[in-house]
Amino acid sequence: MVVDRHLKRAFDLAHDSIRTHPNPRVGAVVVSADGEVVGEGWHEGPGTKHAEVMALANAGDAANGATVYVSLEPCNHHGRTKPCTDALIEAGVSRVVVGTEDPDSRVSGQGIEHLRQCGRGMEVEVIDHPSARKVDPAYFHHRESGMPLVTVKWAMTLDGSVAAVDGTSQWITTDLARTQVHDLRSQVDAVVVGAGTLRADDPRLDVRTMGYRDTQPRPVVVAGTGRLPDTAQLWEREPIVVSATEMEVPAGELLVVGGSDGLPDPVNTCSSLADLGLLHLLLEGGPTLAGAWWRAGVVDNGIVHIGAKVGGGTGRSPMDGVFSTIADADDVEFDTVRNVSDDIVIAFKKR
């Protein structure tokens, strides 16, 4: 489907506004009656101006009689800000082109209908373009399922080990591949590891790409029954610690969820993190946590980095747990397979 260049610009603006959750990423473009772009806007996060309001403010009086291209249906309810539908009506906009309907039950067609019935003769066109969902897949996934979008990531040797028997794994992949992991972190709301990874690797779970100045993803540690290390550098970043029981943590926030055998239930964990506004989770480790979350059905897609190394023996699998028969395997769909320096990177999603 060919997309109008102004709507494409709205999608691009939305895609670049990556710290908006639990609100959606939205972009808007105001085009005057003579075809000139007179205003642009994007949503920067809860409590800030919505994309349409920012674009209208930039356009000023030129918004009267203009066409507004917006990546997602304008809201029609009061939250921290006024409804965007009212702003469009008050500005005298003559036409609104909407990328797709908002799946949020508070909106879900009501904003479109309000604009059509406002008595100003406003024309409203809904494109339902696939790019509208690709702008913010985690938002759509959450509003439709109630759960966050979970992306699992691991790096392994060509023969399938994420680490040697002694636990060493630095470095299976190249510097360039590891840089791309930081780019991936910059796109998510939280990076999740288990207590074993915290003890073994002492990670920071932050974005360390040159020139990155945006908000960092929230670090999350899923704790078991063992004691967490007091000196981990992650405490400097005020992590969320998820536990099945009350426990003392050196810093950050404790989130107690239901579980069994002293371990937090993956579904309860994901649901609770989504309630905090963390709609896209990057699951980075380790094999115990990855296996538990995969078997619980909360993982939606993944990124696998395959390094140009062969262990030549039994190392650690990307996922711990029992794989009894091929009938237990889940089907996945490969999105992309590409070379990154000497590595291969595969992006996949569950069918």
Side-chain angles (χ1 to χ4, degrees), residues 242-283:
V242 184
S243 174
T245 58
E246 293 289 342
M247 64 183 300
E248 292 291 331
V249 295
E253 175 183 353
L254 178 65
L255 182 63
V256 179
V257 304
S260 60
D261 300 324
L263 301 175
D265 176 77
V267 175
N268 292 339
T269 298
C270 289
S271 178
S272 297
L273 292 173
D275 289 343
L276 295 177
L278 305 175
L279 306 189
H280 193 177
L281 312 180
L282 178 61
L283 181 60

Side-chain angles (χ1 to χ4, degrees), residues 21-346:
H21 293 157
N23 292 357
R25 300 172 183 170
V26 184
V29 178
V30 183
V31 180
S32 66
D34 60 4
E36 180 184 358
V37 174
V38 292
E40 293 185 341
W42 56 91
H43 185 42
E44 294 181 336
T48 67
K49 290 181 180 179
H50 287 194
E52 302 93 318
V53 174
M54 180 189 290
L56 291 170
N58 289 335
D61 293 340
N64 187 38
T67 296
V68 174
Y69 295 82
V70 59
S71 61
L72 186 69
E73 177 182 5
C75 65
N76 189 43
H77 62 281
H78 287 269
R80 298 186 187 182
T81 60
K82 292 173 56 179
C84 291
T85 51
D86 290 352
L88 291 164
I89 294 167
E90 292 167 5
V93 169
S94 64
R95 179 170 176 253
V96 179
V97 179
V98 178
T100 195
E101 188 176 302
D102 191 332
D104 192 310
S105 60
R106 296 170 299 175
V107 187
S108 193
Q110 298 174 57
I112 294 166
E113 188 63 21
H114 181 63
L115 293 176
R116 285 174 173 163
Q117 301 298 326
C118 70
R120 301 286 185 89
M122 186 183 298
E123 179 186 353
V124 182
E125 182 180 0
V126 182
I127 304 299
D128 195 24
H129 196 279
S131 295
R133 296 180 67 94
K134 292 178 181 177
V135 162
D136 195 354
Y139 174 79
F140 281 86
H141 180 82
H142 175 259
R143 292 303 191 269
E144 293 169 349
S145 70
M147 295 289 285
L149 184 71
V150 178
T151 299
V152 67
K153 186 276 296 179
W154 70 79
M156 68 181 188
T157 62
L158 185 59
D159 53 342
S161 292
V162 297
V165 172
D166 66 357
T168 55
S169 61
Q170 297 182 343
W171 293 106
I172 289 175
T173 56
T174 62
D175 290 342
L176 181 56
R178 293 194 294 277
T179 298
Q180 294 200 346
V181 171
H182 288 278
D183 292 339
L184 179 60
R185 287 179 181 176
S186 74
Q187 298 294 319
V188 302
D189 299 320
V191 182
V192 185
V193 297
T197 297
L198 182 66
R199 297 186 192 97
D201 296 344
D202 192 21
R204 288 192 57 84
L205 307 182
D206 57 356
V207 181
R208 296 190 295 277
T209 304
M210 184 71 69
Y212 183 80
R213 296 290 183 270
D214 208 335
T215 306
Q216 291 284 350
R218 192 76 187 270
V220 177
V221 177
V222 179
T225 56
R227 181 179 176 83
L228 299 176
D230 292 331
T231 58
Q233 59 180 338
L234 195 62
W235 301 125
E236 300 172 7
R237 299 198 54 228
E238 299 290 323
I240 297 172
V241 176
V242 184
S243 174
T245 58
E246 293 289 342
M247 64 183 300
E248 292 291 331
V249 295
E253 175 183 353
L254 178 65
L255 182 63
V256 179
V257 304
S260 60
D261 300 324
L263 301 175
D265 176 77
V267 175
N268 292 339
T269 298
C270 289
S271 178
S272 297
L273 292 173
D275 289 343
L276 295 177
L278 305 175
L279 306 189
H280 193 177
L281 312 180
L282 178 61
L283 181 60
E284 286 205 12
T288 300
L289 188 64
W293 279 34
W294 185 275
R295 290 188 296 276
V298 298
V299 176
D300 303 288
N301 54 25
I303 306 288
V304 180
H305 291 253
I306 303 174
K309 286 182 171 62
V310 174
T314 302
R316 290 209 65 183
S317 167
M319 297 183 190
D320 286 345
V322 177
F323 177 33
S324 300
T325 176
I326 196 65
D328 293 339
D330 294 295
D331 290 330
V332 302
E333 177 182 336
F334 291 150
D335 279 339
T336 59
V337 179
R338 57 196 174 91
N339 287 99
V340 176
S341 186
D342 290 332
D343 303 322
I344 295 174
V345 180
I346 300 174

